[in-house]
């Protein structure tokens, strides 16, 4: 089972608009100067554990990193009503987290998959809070050019069958590939995540907002990072999106939707280079 690594990582509690947000904070070890603060935001059915392999690598490079469970995910508080899971509420939580960890200094922001959607909304709303934006396996649209069931259908599945129905769909493809202990963690996380969170995210994705123009207008450095094989969005979609945003790209050959878990060292190397150039 995934758990907080002992390497310079602490379990911390932050505050969001719906209550406590569970988080991990990883700080540079003794003898390594802190360069900047980084916030990492997980996606649909995800959590802070999605960045477990990255945190010690980034800390060793001098970056203070915070990863948190979004409202209603895994170990974070969240309402039981779907109306409590709007893009505005997710983005407001993110801004609140920034206020708690930044000490008034702009930070680097990374969002994975749906976490990238939330990151875009937060940057578009409050660009002065951020030093850069990284979208990791987070394409431009939830409804076109994506290898994923229509959000409306996924929402209906969860509404009718709850976490069990979603887990049955997910576990079929993972059972032969994921070690038993990891599979147990993923199952526990799905069942601990509020049903309203998952339905709410699908509704947000169904009515996604195009922030391309707003993000370009911020002038912030942007990195589009993605796997070349098996991501939810084809490489051509990520490439086109990067061009529209004027963003840098990082591509991971033979990797699907989880570069953060499949190639953490390579992802971190690219992030460190990007953040260093963003000064």
């Amino acid at each position: 089972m995934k758990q907080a690594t002992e390497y310079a990582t602490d379990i911390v509690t932050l505050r969001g608009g719906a209550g406590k947000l569970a988080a991990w904070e990883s700080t540079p070890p003794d003898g390594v100067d802190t360069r900047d603060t980084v916030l990492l935001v997980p996606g649909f059915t995800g959590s802070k554990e999605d960045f477990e392999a990255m945190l010690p690598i980034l800390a060793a490079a001098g970056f203070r990193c915070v990863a948190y469970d979004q409202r209603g995910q895994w170990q974070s508080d969240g309402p039981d009503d779907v109306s409590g899971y709007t893009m505005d509420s997710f983005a407001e939580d993110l801004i609140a987290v920034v206020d708690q960890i930044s000490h008034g200094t702009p930070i680097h922001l990374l969002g994975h998959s749906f976490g990238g959607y939330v990151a875009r909304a937060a940057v578009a709303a409050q660009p002065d809070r951020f030093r850069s934006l990284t979208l990791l396996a987070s394409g431009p649209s939830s409804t076109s050019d994506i290898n994923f069931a229509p959000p409306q259908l996924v929402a209906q599945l969860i509404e009718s069958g709850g976490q069990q129905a979603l887990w049955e769909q997910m576990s079929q493809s993972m059972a032969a590939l994921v070690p038993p202990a990891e599979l147990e963690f993923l199952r526990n996380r799905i069942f601990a995540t509020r049903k309203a969170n998952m339905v709410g995210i699908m509704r947000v994705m169904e009515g996604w907002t195009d922030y391309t123009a707003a993000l370009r207008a911020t002038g912030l450095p942007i990195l589009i990072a993605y796997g070349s094989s098996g991501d939810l969005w084809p490489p051509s979609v990520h490439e086109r999106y990067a061009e529209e945003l004027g963003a840098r790209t990082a591509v991971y050959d033979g990797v699907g939707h989880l570069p953060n878990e499949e190639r953490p060292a390579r992802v971190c190397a690219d992030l460190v280079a990007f953040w260093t150039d963003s000064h």
Side-chain angles (χ1 to χ4, degrees), residues 21-97:
L21 298 173
W24 285 351
E25 179 177 2
S26 185
T27 54
D30 292 342
V32 176
D33 293 335
T34 300
R35 300 169 65 178
D36 290 311
T37 294
V38 177
L39 180 61
L40 305 105
V41 187
F44 178 63
T45 72
S47 66
K48 59 191 176 301
E49 284 82 358
D50 295 344
F51 306 107
E52 179 179 14
M54 293 174 55
L55 294 179
I57 300 173
L58 295 175
F63 292 92
R64 170 178 169 247
C65 302
V66 176
Y68 71 102
D69 302 345
Q70 297 200 67
R71 60 168 55 203
Q73 282 184 331
W74 186 215
Q75 296 173 322
S76 283
D77 293 340
D80 291 322
D81 194 294
V82 175
S83 64
Y85 298 92
T86 63
M87 179 56 82
D88 284 347
S89 64
F90 284 117
E92 287 166 3
D93 282 349
L94 194 159
I95 295 295
V97 169

Side-chain angles (χ1 to χ4, degrees), residues 226-230 235 239 250-256 259 262-263 266-267 270:
Y226 58 93
S228 67
S229 176
E239 292 166 7
V251 185
Y252 306 104
D253 293 337
V255 174
E262 296 182 60
R263 299 286 190 278
R266 171 72 189 283
V267 172
D270 289 335

